[in-house]
Amino acid sequence: MKEREYLKELGKKITNSSVRKEIVNEYEAHIEDCKAALMESGMTEVEAEEEAVRQMGDPQEAGEAMDKIYHKVFDSNMFLWMLALGCIPIVCVCISYLIARDPNAFLWVWNEALGLNKIPAVIHRNIGIGFAVYGIGLSIWEKYTGKALFYAVGRDWGQGCYVANSGLVLFISALCFAPSFPVKGYAGILCCVLIACLLNMVLRGFMNLLQSRRETRLLWEIGTAETRINWKGKGYLCGHHMKVRVQGSEKGTEISAGAPVMVVGMEGFKPVVAQV
């Protein structure tokens, strides 16, 4: 087996894209060191490469072993963000106690000022459902497109507008549900926030699994560019027509139609390609 083939098979088994390149580079360095030592002992370059690769063991088994160590499904950034949002009620309790010596004073003033205590619970619940549906859809869209936790209008969004991230939207839905929740006060708010956080974590974990499977299937596969590719474009890969983006598109890199391309990464569920 050739070195490039070994590294390709190894990388396909590593689903955590944030560490894949580092692991592959480390294996490549080991193979090169072993290859150099074998050539010094009298082997030809071809013989040394084959022997160095053989000594590294089965690439799929090695990749699976690394994947078990670095496998990532849990979306820690979103969890920390929603946990930080969930601390807001606790801060409000502290402020209320310091000002009025009453932990519920802030909540009472808030409800009176906005008239929230006069709105029927069913209205709160329906508004919360609306925000929850939007937040769930936004969470799926974030993972599908590969957008970061905090973001604004990107170059490929055209004349779009700012979009709040799903964690914030689901936190708002939790606040709307709180008045109709069996547990009242700040405890009820915290319970609703924790439920929203759990819902988002399960959803994003499922999307991470789907994205990892797609990335493992497409990574380093070679195809052709059906259209001119920059921020957007279409390619023919693994017998399918799909939307792709070129690596380095933010620097103006483009690939012309008909050129051979190789998948070098993923942006959400969209393959990122480079010309070969």
Side-chain angles (χ1 to χ4, degrees):
M1 180 181 288
K2 298 295 184 181
E3 178 181 351
R4 299 316 305 170
E5 295 174 358
Y6 182 93
L7 295 175
K8 177 180 178 180
E9 291 298 320
L10 173 75
K12 274 181 170 291
K13 293 296 181 180
I14 302 172
T15 57
N16 188 346
S17 57
S18 63
V19 299
R20 182 189 299 115
K21 185 176 181 180
E22 183 179 349
I23 293 173
V24 170
N25 287 343
E26 185 173 347
Y27 269 81
E28 183 178 18
H30 283 307
I31 292 175
E32 289 296 326
D33 290 342
C34 184
K35 178 181 172 182
L38 291 171
M39 289 176 65
E40 288 180 2
S41 67
M43 284 189 178
T44 65
E45 183 176 356
V46 175
E47 291 173 340
E49 180 178 350
E50 290 180 352
E51 177 60 21
V53 169
R54 187 192 66 79
Q55 292 183 16
M56 296 301 293
D58 184 84
Q60 294 190 3
E61 291 182 0
E64 289 172 356
M66 290 294 101
D67 187 58
K68 288 180 180 179
I69 298 173
Y70 296 103
H71 188 65
K72 181 180 179 181
V73 175
F74 185 68
D75 200 333
S76 57
N77 287 337
M78 180 60 75
F79 176 77
L80 293 174
W81 167 235
M82 294 193 72
L83 188 63
L85 291 174
C87 290
I88 293 177
I90 299 176
V91 174
C92 292
V93 170
C94 295
I95 293 174
S96 298
Y97 185 76
L98 291 174
I99 295 177
R101 297 297 174 181
D102 181 1
N104 294 315
F106 186 89
L107 188 61
W108 182 83
V109 172
W110 175 264
N111 289 335
E112 282 293 320
L114 299 181
L116 298 179
N117 55 342
K118 300 176 183 177
I119 299 176
V122 66
I123 301 298
H124 285 283
R125 189 160 52 248
N126 290 338
I127 294 175
I129 291 173
F131 273 108
V133 171
Y134 174 59
I136 290 171
L138 186 58
S139 185
I140 294 173
W141 176 84
E142 287 171 348
K143 299 304 293 184
Y144 186 82
T145 59
K147 297 299 179 184
L149 179 60
F150 302 103
Y151 48 83
V153 177
R155 286 176 57 186
D156 57 334
W157 289 23
Q159 300 299 317
C161 58
Y162 288 88
V163 180
N165 64 71
S166 59
L168 178 60
V169 174
L170 288 172
F171 173 73
I172 294 173
S173 76
L175 295 182
C176 295
F177 270 113
S180 60
F181 196 72
V183 180
K184 301 302 180 182
Y186 289 104
I189 294 176
L190 289 176
C191 288
C192 290
V193 170
L194 290 175
I195 292 172
C197 183
L198 179 61
L199 174 65
N200 206 13
M201 291 303 96
V202 171
L203 177 63
R204 294 173 78 85
F206 177 71
M207 293 295 291
N208 282 340
L209 288 174
L210 293 180
Q211 193 270 343
S212 294
R213 291 180 60 184
R214 180 176 174 84
E215 184 175 30
T216 301
R217 181 171 61 87
L218 295 176
L219 189 64
W220 294 322
E221 293 295 331
I222 296 177
T224 56
E226 292 189 310
T227 65
R228 182 173 64 90
I229 305 173
N230 41 46
W231 283 92
K232 297 179 179 180
K234 289 186 178 181
Y236 187 74
L237 299 161
C238 297
H240 298 281
H241 307 275
M242 57 186 70
K243 295 180 180 179
V244 298
R245 180 177 74 81
V246 66
Q247 185 181 44
S249 54
E250 66 280 357
K251 300 178 182 178
T253 305
E254 290 187 351
I255 297 176
S256 58
V261 296
M262 179 174 66
V263 179
V264 294
M266 300 289 289
E267 183 182 62
F269 281 68
K270 181 190 292 185
V272 177
V273 300
Q275 188 169 351
V276 294

